[in-house]
Amino acid sequence: MTTIAVMADPPREGLVATELAATSPLTEAEAAELYAAMLKDVFVAVTRSGGDLLVNYRSDDLLPAEHVTDTPAEAEVRALAATALDDPSDARLEPQVGSTFDARAGNTVTHLLREEGVNSAAVVEGSAPFLTRPLVDNAAMKLRRSEVVLGASTRGRAYYAGFTEPIDFTDAFAAPELETLTARGRDAGHEVDFTPIQPVVETGEDLLDALPLLNARVGAERAVPVHTATVADELGLRVAYDESDPRVVRD
């Protein structure tokens, strides 16, 4: 069984999804709302799989001073999990440790493997709403044969990074993540495998991939990330196709 650490920030305006807001029709507040919805869908996908959910939140002492509020980060993230999950106790919350994302992810994975003795540990971010139970379980199967399993996304990114043995995590998530993480895995003498490509939603350009996929899955009555699809619909987001390049617009 894989312990999956979802790296979660409190969904505060100007703190999360800032690049998405800067490159799409969304305001910073709306981008934070969409981030919160995606994070909830990630929580749901993990709890429906055979993995264990660890919500690894960024605590107040790791946040920029201007984004610290009267509500503790832990309480804000815990409330998200409570609204997303049928049984909130399915989520274990632990604070992140480290000054950079690479350090925080590496510390979490290394601690789980070496101190808690789990068979495998993975890192997922809140920008991966298309993570599903089959993808999580498929990665777990691959981790029985390979020490590193990566979920490939567009433009060299990774929506999932799983390990049965630690690697050198210093700058391991530097772009392009897929290549960097693969190189670190191979440098450590590990086998590396991959799961099917899925979009992440971090920029306006990512919405060009995500929105048609959401709409198609809704139209086909297939499984969708419900929270993400609901917020995208409420915000009136769609992709317009005309004589110019495809672009994200709002109804």
Side-chain angles (χ1 to χ4, degrees):
M1 184 177 293
T2 303
T3 297
I4 299 163
V6 180
M7 310 299 283
D9 286 347
R12 295 172 183 168
E13 177 181 347
L15 174 66
V16 300
T18 54
E19 187 175 0
L20 179 60
T23 57
S24 77
L26 297 175
T27 65
E28 288 190 339
E30 291 167 339
E33 181 183 4
L34 185 60
Y35 170 84
M38 295 190 293
L39 196 58
K40 289 195 286 188
D41 282 323
V42 173
F43 294 163
V44 171
V46 174
T47 57
R48 288 178 176 172
S49 74
D52 289 330
L53 172 61
L54 169 62
V55 179
N56 207 203
Y57 66 91
R58 190 149 58 124
S59 56
D60 296 286
D61 60 319
L62 295 178
L63 297 177
E66 64 271 23
H67 295 298
V68 175
T69 70
D70 292 337
T71 302
E74 177 182 359
E76 201 164 344
V77 174
R78 188 178 296 278
L80 276 184
T83 59
L85 303 177
D86 294 333
D87 184 357
S89 68
D90 287 339
R92 172 164 66 111
L93 271 72
E94 295 287 345
Q96 298 176 13
V97 177
S99 59
T100 66
F101 177 84
D102 303 77
R104 294 192 288 270
N107 288 336
T108 296
V109 169
T110 302
H111 173 80
L112 288 169
L113 292 173
R114 291 183 173 169
E115 304 301 324
E116 296 196 13
V118 303
N119 293 326
S120 54
V123 170
V124 175
E125 293 188 67
S127 56
F130 293 99
L131 188 73
T132 61
R133 176 191 57 77
L135 284 171
V136 174
D137 291 342
N138 176 253
M141 292 294 293
K142 288 177 178 289
L143 282 164
R144 296 180 182 181
R145 302 183 297 273
S146 301
E147 292 90 350
V148 179
V149 172
L150 305 174
S153 189
T154 56
R155 299 199 302 280
R157 291 171 294 179
Y159 64 85
Y160 175 102
F163 309 87
T164 61
E165 295 289 342
I167 61 172
D168 179 2
F169 282 100
T170 306
D171 298 326
F173 289 85
E177 287 178 332
L178 276 177
E179 291 185 31
T180 309
L181 287 165
T182 297
R184 293 299 174 83
R186 297 299 289 165
D187 287 345
H190 300 332
E191 292 293 326
V192 180
D193 203 348
F194 303 91
T195 62
I197 190 169
Q198 293 289 335
V200 295
V201 181
E202 298 172 345
T203 69
E205 186 174 352
D206 293 333
L207 289 172
L208 297 175
D209 298 318
L211 292 173
L213 180 56
L214 278 175
N215 293 333
R217 295 193 70 85
V218 169
E221 298 183 350
R222 307 296 291 180
V224 295
V226 173
H227 299 287
T228 303
T230 299
V231 171
D233 181 67
E234 290 173 349
L235 293 172
L237 294 174
R238 64 180 179 89
V239 177
Y241 299 88
D242 49 33
E243 295 180 358
S244 63
D245 292 334
R247 67 192 191 283
V248 178
V249 298
R250 305 183 66 164
D251 292 329

